[in-house]
Amino acid sequence: MSHRRSVFLLLFSFAIFRGTICTHFRGGIITWKPVLNADPNTVHFSFKHAWTWSSHSCDYSTIVGKNLTGPDDRWQCVIGCNSSSKIASTRFYCTAFSEREDWTLGENTFNHTFQGPGPFVVSFNGGDWISSLVVGSDSSWSMPTTIDLRARSDNGQVNSSPTSGTAPIIRLQQHCNYTLPIHADDPDGDEVRCRWAQNGGTDKIISDPSFTNDECGGVCRALPDARLESSPCRIVYRASTVGWYAVAVMLEDFVSSGSQQPLSEVPLQFLIEVREQTDGETIECRTRLTFTPTTLDDKHCVAIPPGQMFSTFIVVNEEETSKLGEVLLVAPQGLVATEIKEYEPGQRGIDVTWLPKPEQYGQNVFCFSALDQAGLSTEQR
C-alpha cells in the first residue's frame, strides 16, 4: 500500500569553539524532529539565519538558482557526544533579503545520527553581532538547542521541537506602546511557552554539572524594560530609546499546561529597531497599509498535495501618505517571490510560488509583513 503525504504550509500573523569573526550576525533559529523510518537516534535539523546583506548578499537569482551562501562555520554537538566536532555546516540557501534594510535571511537542513537517545545540546557560537546594537554591540552569539530522543511520558513517541516564523527584524516607532506576538507552533500539538534566554544557571533537561548554560552570548536581556509573557508568547514594550536591539528568547514545549518539565529548548533571536520620532511629526505607531481581503489570513493552514505548486499573492491597500516599500518574507527554502507590482489602482504587492521537495513534506512555516516607505510595518501574518 502506498501513502501520499501532503505538505502543510502554516501561515502566522513573522567559548566552546571559535566561530565566525565579523560584525554581521542578525539572529536565527534552529528546530528539529526525528527522522521517520530511520535509525531511532537520527534527527532532522532545520535552521534559519539572518546576516547583514552587505556581508552575505542575496538577490532573486540567488534564490532561484538555489546557491549556497553564508559563512562555512559549524553546528557542533557540545553536550552528550563523544567529541565536539563539526556535525554540519552553517551555510544556507537564501530565502529572502532586503538590501535597503541590510539583511539576508536563509535556511538549510541537515541530518545527524547520535550515539544514543541523549539528551544532547547542538549549538552555533561565534562573533560578532552587528555593531549598531544599543546593548551587546559587537558581542558574541550563542544558539543552542536541546534534543531529547527518549520516549515521551504521555504517548511513548519521540518528541519534535517547537517552530517559529518570527521576522528577522521588527521596526517600531519611538514613544509608542506595543504588544509583539512571537508566533510559535508545535508539530506534536504541545503547549509552547517562551522565556528570556540566559547565560548561566541550571538547565531543566541537561543534568551534567559541567554544562555552561549559555543561551544568548552577549545579548541576554538586551531589550531594556521589556516584559515577556510566557503563553501565549508575546513581548510588551514601550519603544522609548532609538536604536537597534537584539532579542533572545527560548521556546519550550510541554506535554500539558500543568507541566513544568520542558521536552525541548529552541533558541529564537531577532532584531528590533526603534525608529526616531522627528520633532513636530505626528506620531504614527502603525503603518496605514492594510492587507487586502484576498491576502492569506493569519494562522491559515494550506494543504499542498505532493508534486503540486503552491501560489498566492500578498497585496496591500495604499494611501496617499503611505506607500508600499517592501514585503518581508520568512519562507521555506525554494519559495520564489516577484518584485513589487501594481494589481489595481491603490493596491500593490507580490506573487509567491513554491514547489515543495519531498524532504519538505510535513509542516512548513511561511510568514510575511509589509513595510511602508517610512519604514513602518504592518502586523506579521
Side-chain angles (χ1 to χ4, degrees):
M1 179 182 295
S2 62
H3 297 270
R4 291 166 60 83
R5 298 180 62 201
S6 294
V7 180
F8 293 90
L9 181 66
L10 300 179
L11 295 106
F12 294 89
S13 179
F14 194 72
I16 297 172
F17 67 92
R18 188 189 62 84
T20 305
I21 304 299
C22 193
T23 56
H24 56 200
F25 189 62
R26 283 177 166 264
I29 184 173
I30 182 170
T31 63
W32 58 269
K33 61 183 179 182
V35 177
L36 299 177
N37 302 319
D39 185 300
N41 298 321
T42 299
V43 175
H44 180 76
F45 292 90
S46 299
F47 68 89
K48 290 182 173 67
H49 280 164
W51 304 87
T52 56
W53 185 91
S54 52
S55 63
H56 301 292
S57 62
C58 174
D59 56 25
Y60 290 108
S61 63
T62 308
I63 296 174
V64 174
K66 300 178 181 178
N67 301 318
L68 279 170
T69 186
D72 188 15
D73 215 310
R74 54 187 174 175
W75 287 103
Q76 199 170 16
C77 179
V78 296
I79 287 292
C81 300
N82 294 329
S83 66
S84 58
S85 60
K86 174 179 177 180
I87 64 172
S89 172
T90 57
R91 301 202 74 194
F92 57 84
Y93 296 96
C94 179
T95 56
F97 66 94
S98 173
E99 183 176 359
R100 174 190 175 194
E101 295 290 330
D102 193 29
W103 59 262
T104 294
L105 179 67
E107 71 171 31
N108 206 347
T109 64
F110 62 91
N111 287 0
H112 181 72
T113 301
F114 294 96
Q115 300 302 309
F120 307 96
V121 175
V122 169
S123 186
F124 175 36
N125 299 54
D128 294 327
W129 275 90
I130 58 173
S131 57
S132 53
L133 292 180
V134 175
V135 179
S137 172
D138 297 329
S139 66
S140 63
W141 70 75
S142 180
M143 289 188 59
T145 182
T146 304
I147 304 101
D148 190 345
L149 304 178
R150 294 172 294 187
R152 296 170 51 132
S153 61
D154 58 336
N155 58 19
Q157 304 298 311
V158 177
N159 188 54
S160 296
S161 77
T163 63
S164 176
T166 298
I169 175 174
I170 298 174
R171 297 188 69 171
L172 308 179
Q173 176 64 58
Q174 187 185 19
H175 304 315
C176 291
N177 297 318
Y178 293 93
T179 298
L180 306 173
I182 296 178
H183 301 291
D185 183 61
D186 188 274
D188 302 313
D190 298 324
E191 174 168 319
V192 179
R193 305 173 203 162
C194 62
R195 59 174 174 81
W196 294 118
Q198 61 183 0
N199 191 339
T202 59
D203 187 274
K204 291 184 178 180
I205 300 177
I206 303 297
S207 59
D208 186 345
S210 67
F211 176 49
T212 301
N213 190 20
D214 182 5
E215 299 172 334
C216 41
V219 295
C220 304
R221 299 296 294 268
L223 186 63
D225 301 320
R227 184 176 83 249
L228 180 64
E229 297 181 353
S230 174
S231 180
C233 186
R234 55 191 181 183
I235 295 173
V236 180
Y237 178 62
R238 178 169 178 80
S240 300
T241 304
V242 171
W244 289 87
Y245 299 88
V247 176
V249 299
M250 300 296 291
L251 305 178
E252 299 176 325
D253 52 342
F254 297 81
V255 296
S256 67
S257 59
S259 174
Q260 299 301 313
Q261 177 61 42
L263 298 168
S264 65
E265 299 165 321
V266 165
L268 173 64
Q269 300 176 11
F270 57 94
L271 291 175
I272 286 178
E273 183 195 17
V274 176
R275 176 178 175 266
E276 183 177 10
Q277 176 65 46
T278 304
D279 290 341
E281 180 183 14
T282 301
I283 294 179
E284 293 281 359
C285 294
R286 293 285 184 186
T287 178
R288 294 175 182 267
L289 298 177
T290 58
F291 290 114
T292 62
T294 53
T295 300
L296 287 167
D297 290 330
D298 186 27
K299 297 185 179 178
H300 196 85
C301 183
V302 180
I304 308 169
Q308 291 195 17
M309 178 82 74
F310 166 77
S311 62
T312 189
F313 43 82
I314 301 168
V315 183
V316 297
N317 297 305
E318 297 181 315
E319 294 188 8
E320 186 63 34
T321 58
S322 186
K323 300 296 183 181
L324 179 61
E326 290 190 67
V327 178
L328 309 182
L329 303 176
V330 179
Q333 180 184 333
L335 186 141
V336 177
T338 65
E339 295 189 15
I340 293 174
K341 60 182 181 179
E342 185 176 67
Y343 291 82
E344 300 286 347
Q347 293 184 350
R348 292 200 304 156
I350 61 172
D351 295 342
V352 297
T353 56
W354 181 48
L355 181 61
K357 297 182 291 185
E359 56 267 30
Q360 293 176 304
Y361 291 172
Q363 291 184 346
N364 292 267
V365 176
F366 171 44
C367 299
F368 56 86
S369 58
L371 288 177
D372 63 22
Q373 292 179 347
L376 293 177
S377 175
T378 64
E379 82 279 9
Q380 185 182 13
R381 292 187 176 184

